[in-house]
Amino acid sequence: MRTRRVLLALLGTNFLSAMGITIVVPLISNLEQIFGVSSAYGIWIITLFMLSYAMGMALIGRLSDAIGRRPVYIASMGVFALGLLVSAVAPQFGWVLVGRFLQGLGASGSLPIAQTIAYEHFGKRKGLAMGGITAAFGIGVVAAINLGGGIYQAFDWRAVFYVTFALSFLGWGLSFAIPETLKQRRPLSLDVGGILTFGAAIAAFMMLFRGLSGSSFMDASVWPYAVALAALAGAFLVFERRAAEPAIDLDLFKAPAFVAVIGAAVTGGVGMFVFQTFLPSFAQISLGYTVAQASYSINLMAATMVITAGATGALSDRFGPERALAFSLATTTLGFLLITTISHPTWAYYVGSAIAGAGLGSLMTPINVIGMREGGQGREGISSGIVSLSRTLGGIIGPTIAGFVLAQTDFSSLFALDNLLRAYTRIYRFGMWVGVIGFGFALVLLIRSFRKREVHA
Amino acid sequence: MHSTRRLLVIMLIVTATAGPALGQMSDPLDAVCEASRNLTAYSAAIRMTQHQAGSQSVIEFEFDFVPPDRMRIVYTAPGTVEGQTMILNADRFYTYIPNLHRSVWKDVGEDASNPGEEMGFLFDFVTQAAAEALELADVSVAESTESFVLEGTDEMIEVDALTLQTSGEQQIVQLSVLDAAPVAIAIYVGERLVMEIRVLDYLINATYDEAWFAIPEQ
């Protein structure tokens, strides 16, 4: 009974936090008009969220290993709800951004800590529980995409934040039902320098590619970010080597299996975010859908994502997470391939997205299980945090590069829309090749698991 | 004396037979240069087919041009591009893609390619630059005219066919015998057909509205 209540609380909080993260997506396509700010300023609504989301992931795993999963989870949900409230009542756009920063920080704790709690709480059925959490998260994303636009159209942007705040407040209340699962606490030592340089490096990376979208590398608005990125990456490594308890424990990367799962997480993250981010606009261009039709058209992919997210948990428990991961990345790659190769656009769109959805839905559980297992006992929080962070990094790198490809489109051509369609094809081909690399990592892990079994036998 | 008379007769025969041929060769060229030079406005319905790597894209649009640098294009087909609009006004270019609710503003400098250049000789014609384009190419004219149907009106017209050869590119242009306006162009790169432009209906030097070329505020 208690197990069921814990599971329901984890499912509920993740469903609600996914809604909170995604419900603002319909606003993002029309920032200038909604907030009356320039596009260069408006884009910080995404940049700041991703920045604090990534920085939070580097921080929260370590924090939860030290002070416990439960307080960090409750605090994450609370900060997330607070951020939404700040955005909802914001007197000016700057306060909306402050709210977005808090939302990113809070959101960074929801999925990885929930996965860690499930890993520690559900024993042999952990895969099933983790899959269920991913599925609940996925359903939240789909519900929010369908709901967000409607709320905005019926009311205004504040209503979107108010509704999300109400949902997240409910999620925060639910999070109190979650038990403490940490068995042994580690001493708390925050690597502030590491976290800050890491966040700044991500910001420099995003600004570099944003600059490259409109200017050449040698432009004064571009190359300084490349210099900053190199300097910050170097500084981050120095901080991590010197820190007693580094934000990202580089020792974990001495284990080849951990490196492989991180590789799979980054490539999977690229695939996941590239596919999801560009799918609605791809539907508009290739099928001539309206914005609303395009939003609904991704429901098929979402459905296969949710179904396989749940099923992969059981598959992972029964056959091992390595097979589940290989299935995930092979299927994702196939989805990318089909969406660019089936000649009939409607079939290409729906078959490709449904298959990619099945692959992407089954990604989270195996990478988290393998990551936490390879990270070792007592480091589940930080391992899960690094795995989620790696996926998020993929989620930043992929769409940034894809956005750069799109920005190269020649809109002054009479065949501008065809050029755009070709750019989308290039983006999905890029996703496919990243998927192939990811599948390579999964194969390494699979072969390693077979060898281990032979040794044990 | 006899030989002088014979020479005169031969010259008369040569002039009499070659005259029409020379006239036929130069007339369409002169006519198109003059029509282009005197152009004050051009409106047309156009179909363009782009051939690329085994696939082809077809678009249809309404095209308005006022020399030297005002242009409006409104897409009519296929459904995925219907309503898409492009406006060029001096060095400012604007396009709106309704499917994506996306507007793009761009400065078109002297070095930048002009959005209409994909139309080949038709764009030279509307920009009053037909003479320059013909000067830069090796031009040959077909000996006889052909029949051509303007699909927009089902009107049958007679056309002259020109071949313009420049380094690496060949354009086969069909000009209406009536007013020397280009009605069809096929552009080849090497042996490969890359673009077909077909005018479905057109008006030369008709009235136009300045508001067509107004670029919305950014």
Side-chain angles (χ1 to χ4, degrees):
Chain A
M1 192 64 194
R2 185 174 151 75
T3 300
R4 193 177 294 171
R5 202 181 67 194
V6 173
L7 183 61
L8 281 176
L10 287 171
L11 296 181
T13 49
N14 271 276
F15 170 76
L16 293 169
S17 66
M19 281 199 78
I21 293 169
T22 321
I23 207 163
V24 294
V25 167
L27 302 182
I28 288 167
S29 60
N30 217 354
L31 290 170
E32 298 107 279
Q33 206 179 327
I34 294 171
F35 295 106
V37 294
S38 70
S39 58
Y41 187 30
I43 203 71
W44 280 96
I45 207 167
I46 302 165
T47 310
L48 269 182
F49 181 91
M50 293 308 287
L51 198 61
S52 60
Y53 190 61
M55 287 168 74
M57 280 186 171
L59 169 76
I60 274 165
R62 173 73 64 197
L63 211 58
S64 81
D65 282 345
I67 64 171
R69 317 289 184 218
R70 189 171 183 270
V72 177
Y73 194 64
I74 293 170
S76 296
M77 297 298 293
V79 169
F80 182 57
L82 178 68
L84 287 160
L85 184 62
V86 170
S87 289
V89 300
Q92 45 187 249
F93 187 65
W95 282 101
V96 176
L97 294 183
V98 172
R100 287 291 287 168
F101 187 85
L102 291 174
Q103 290 158 40
L105 204 58
S108 65
S110 59
L111 194 57
I113 297 185
Q115 295 278 6
T116 311
I117 291 168
Y119 182 84
E120 291 170 338
H121 187 79
F122 290 97
K124 285 187 174 175
R125 302 187 76 186
K126 58 180 178 287
L128 193 59
M130 291 164 82
I133 290 168
T134 311
F137 198 89
I139 295 170
V141 168
V142 180
I145 287 175
N146 285 281
L147 194 64
I151 295 173
Y152 171 66
Q153 298 229 312
F155 304 99
D156 61 358
W157 64 269
R158 285 186 195 278
V160 174
F161 283 116
Y162 275 122
V163 170
T164 321
F165 165 70
L167 293 169
S168 304
F169 190 74
L170 196 64
W172 180 62
L174 265 179
S175 67
F176 283 89
I178 286 163
E180 181 54 72
T181 55
L182 180 67
K183 293 193 175 63
Q184 199 178 356
R185 286 165 200 251
R186 290 167 67 90
L188 177 61
S189 165
L190 286 183
D191 170 24
V192 178
I195 292 167
L196 288 179
T197 48
F198 179 73
I202 290 175
F205 172 82
M206 292 172 84
M207 298 307 288
L208 170 67
F209 271 86
R210 198 153 291 149
L212 279 172
S213 301
S215 313
S216 70
F217 181 81
M218 292 316 289
D219 194 277
S221 65
V222 179
W223 67 264
Y225 288 115
V227 175
L229 176 61
L232 288 163
F236 170 70
L237 289 176
V238 171
F239 273 118
E240 295 313 274
R241 289 224 171 99
R242 289 187 182 166
E245 293 285 343
I248 294 175
D249 194 344
L250 297 178
D251 282 345
L252 285 170
F253 291 87
K254 287 177 182 164
F258 194 80
V259 174
V261 78
I262 291 303
V266 172
T267 50
V270 169
M272 181 175 280
F273 283 82
V274 164
F275 213 100
Q276 288 174 343
T277 309
F278 295 96
L279 198 60
S281 49
F282 182 60
Q284 288 171 247
I285 297 165
S286 69
L287 306 178
Y289 283 178
T290 63
V291 175
Q293 286 172 325
S295 293
Y296 299 138
S297 75
I298 70 163
N299 284 346
L300 180 64
M301 182 190 84
T304 58
M305 260 179 109
V306 168
I307 291 165
T308 53
T312 310
L315 185 77
S316 175
D317 284 342
R318 187 158 179 194
F319 300 108
E322 287 81 3
R323 285 187 190 188
L325 182 60
F327 165 80
S328 166
L329 287 161
T331 313
T332 303
T333 307
L334 180 65
F336 271 112
L337 177 70
L338 292 177
I339 206 165
T340 58
T341 50
I342 296 177
S343 58
H344 193 284
T346 308
W347 281 103
Y349 179 78
Y350 284 107
V351 173
S353 63
I355 289 177
L360 295 170
S362 50
L363 176 71
M364 289 295 291
T365 303
I367 57 170
N368 273 305
V369 171
I370 301 169
M372 282 191 264
R373 189 190 65 204
E374 296 299 327
Q377 211 165 11
R379 290 165 130 184
E380 286 87 355
I382 185 71
S383 306
S384 168
I386 293 175
V387 168
S388 295
L389 177 63
S390 306
R391 189 183 60 93
T392 307
L393 268 182
I396 294 172
I397 294 167
T400 306
I401 292 173
F404 172 70
V405 172
L406 273 187
Q408 306 307 308
T409 306
D410 180 9
F411 280 101
S412 59
S413 164
L414 293 171
F415 290 85
L417 222 58
D418 281 291
N419 294 342
L420 203 54
L421 205 54
R422 267 191 286 279
Y424 273 85
T425 303
R426 276 198 294 276
I427 288 169
Y428 283 120
R429 283 282 159 88
F430 158 70
M432 184 195 78
W433 287 112
V434 172
V436 168
I437 296 168
F439 182 65
F441 285 120
L443 274 185
V444 169
L445 289 164
L446 192 62
I447 292 165
R448 195 175 160 277
S449 77
F450 285 147
R451 283 193 186 152
K452 253 188 172 177
R453 249 179 248 170
E454 280 170 14
V455 171
H456 283 302
Chain B
M1 189 69 184
H2 270 290
S3 61
T4 309
R5 192 176 293 163
R6 200 177 296 152
L7 188 65
L8 204 63
V9 170
I10 290 169
M11 280 176 70
L12 278 170
I13 292 168
V14 167
T15 309
T17 53
L22 281 173
Q24 197 175 40
M25 194 170 262
S26 59
D27 277 351
L29 301 184
D30 289 344
V32 72
C33 291
E34 198 184 338
S36 170
R37 202 166 34 245
N38 296 332
L39 193 83
T40 55
Y42 179 85
S43 290
I46 293 172
R47 181 192 302 131
M48 276 179 75
T49 308
Q50 186 183 45
H51 300 266
Q52 209 169 48
S55 67
Q56 62 176 43
S57 315
V58 184
I59 51 171
E60 286 184 17
F61 53 86
E62 303 286 344
F63 176 68
D64 300 292
F65 197 94
V66 174
D69 51 17
R70 278 177 296 167
M71 177 178 86
R72 182 183 72 158
I73 290 173
V74 181
Y75 289 70
T76 52
T80 47
V81 296
E82 197 177 338
Q84 188 183 332
T85 305
M86 283 183 168
I87 301 173
L88 177 75
N89 196 328
D91 58 356
R92 200 79 176 119
F93 171 76
Y94 164 82
T95 185
Y96 174 67
I97 302 173
N99 265 356
L100 297 174
H101 296 286
R102 185 168 183 173
S103 298
V104 178
W105 287 265
K106 201 173 149 187
D107 285 324
V108 184
E110 278 179 17
D111 301 335
S113 62
N114 198 301
E117 281 171 8
E118 288 158 295
M119 286 189 266
F121 185 74
L122 177 60
F123 195 67
D124 295 321
F125 176 78
V126 296
T127 51
Q128 298 176 321
E132 287 87 335
L134 293 176
E135 247 174 57
L136 292 172
D138 288 333
V139 184
S140 58
V141 183
E143 285 182 8
S144 56
T145 61
E146 294 168 23
S147 296
F148 182 93
V149 178
L150 279 173
E151 287 179 38
T153 56
D154 283 335
E155 186 188 346
M156 176 87 81
I157 59 171
E158 285 299 302
V159 293
D160 286 305
L162 315 183
T163 303
L164 279 68
Q165 180 77 51
T166 54
S167 56
E169 187 182 277
Q170 188 188 54
Q171 294 189 51
I172 297 173
V173 181
Q174 291 180 306
L175 302 174
S176 164
V177 169
L178 198 65
D179 53 17
V183 289
I185 297 160
I187 303 174
Y188 293 82
V189 172
E191 296 288 303
R192 195 166 60 88
L193 176 65
V194 291
M195 193 77 76
E196 286 176 279
I197 301 107
R198 198 173 177 98
V199 177
L200 308 177
D201 186 17
Y202 68 97
L203 278 174
I204 284 181
N205 297 340
T207 53
Y208 58 89
D209 187 346
E210 286 290 349
W212 293 350
F213 310 103
I215 291 181
E217 286 293 312
Q218 190 167 0

